[in-house]
Each structure stands twice: as structure tokens, then as C-alpha cells.
Amino acid sequence: NNDTISSEKKMTQVCELLQESIGYYDWVGFYFANHDTKTLHLKAFAGEPTDHTEIPFGKGICGQVAESNANFVVPDVKAQDNYIACSIYVKAEIVVPLFKDGKNIGQIDIDSNTVDPFSEADERFLEWVNERIAEIL
Ligand code: SME
């Protein structure tokens, strides 16, 4: 419906703003969960297009957060076994779940080409971003 289209446009604008204004945010995207098929679906992003527009729960950093409901900060992606590579340049990743009415409905995913760039300030900031997104959904 029209509400879905406009919230996806807003999320794309948020992705673009974050990716352009924070130097170590090289790729920014929002995945949303289909709890029936247990898959994540890419709804908005900024940065290079990715082949990974659909991710099963449990697979990769994103799929693990779909099940854990917890932030996942990866300082060095090379040290992760359960990781889906999107670009050879990516060194680090942060995924923060997005809750609506207490339910984990999706996540913000950020890739960085810098090693170990993410701090607790990024976690608090991205939790705040997700709360604002939840309000428009
Ligand atoms: N690296 C993610 C996959 C999504 S791409 O970063 C855009 C993962 O391991 O889940």
C-alpha cells in the first residue's frame, strides 16, 4: 500500500544520510523479517547494491540477529565463521535489531571498510534511529 511505499522511501533517505555523513558507514541497509518463511528481506539501502537481498534466519550476522534479538558488533569480519560477505572491502559490521511493539521485525545493518570502527555510541545511536523508524511503520 501507499504507506509502505512512503516508509521505504523515508528509510532509503535515512540510509543515504547516514552513509554520506558518517565516514566509516560505507553501506547502510534495513532488512525486515518475514516470520512465516523465516527470512530477512532488504527494503532500503545506500551504498553498493548487494546480491544478499534475502537472508534466512540464522545465516550470517543479520540472520543471527533475527534470532538473538540483540545487537551484534563485529570488529573484524575475518574472525567470523557465520558471515555472509557482500564486498571484499568490508572489514567490520554492526547489526542492531528494530523492534515494533516489542517484536523484532527487522534490523539496521552497517558495513564498514575500516577495521574496528564501531563503539557503544554507534549502538545507542542506531537504537535511537530504529526507534524513530518504528514510529513511521
Ligand atoms: N554481512 C551480512 C550480510 C548482509 S551484507 O553485509 C549487506 C551478514 O553476514 O549477515
Side-chain angles (χ1 to χ4, degrees):
N1 60 31
N2 288 326
D3 289 344
T4 308
I5 292 165
S6 78
S7 62
E8 285 187 15
K9 279 187 185 162
K10 288 176 188 167
M11 288 191 287
T12 300
Q13 291 174 341
V14 168
C15 290
E16 288 168 350
L17 179 65
L18 293 177
Q19 193 250 7
E20 286 163 12
S21 51
I22 302 178
Y24 55 95
Y25 287 10
D26 290 289
W27 188 93
V28 180
F30 286 100
Y31 286 92
F32 283 86
N34 182 324
H35 288 278
D36 297 322
T37 59
K38 298 201 178 300
T39 50
L40 291 164
H41 299 267
L42 185 64
K43 295 292 180 198
F45 73 96
E48 290 297 307
T50 176
D51 289 338
H52 302 107
T53 56
E54 182 179 326
I55 298 174
F57 283 15
K59 289 207 73 178
I61 308 304
C62 295
Q64 292 176 77
V65 169
E67 294 182 331
S68 72
N69 309 318
N71 296 350
F72 198 156
V73 180
V74 180
D76 176 6
V77 295
K78 286 203 295 287
Q80 292 294 319
D81 294 327
N82 189 359
Y83 169 71
I84 302 165
C86 283
S87 151
I88 56 165
Y89 301 110
V90 173
K91 300 280 201 298
E93 179 162 5
I94 184 171
V95 178
V96 173
L98 194 160
F99 299 97
K100 175 83 178 172
D101 302 327
K103 190 176 172 162
N104 179 357
I105 61 164
Q107 52 192 236
I108 190 167
D109 174 21
I110 297 176
D111 285 340
S112 182
N113 301 346
T114 303
V115 179
D116 197 9
F118 301 115
S119 68
E120 286 184 23
D122 294 284
E123 292 188 69
R124 298 296 88 75
F125 172 60
L126 296 171
E127 289 164 359
W128 178 86
V129 169
N130 282 353
E131 286 166 17
R132 301 289 78 74
I133 296 296
E135 289 172 354
I136 64 160
L137 296 176

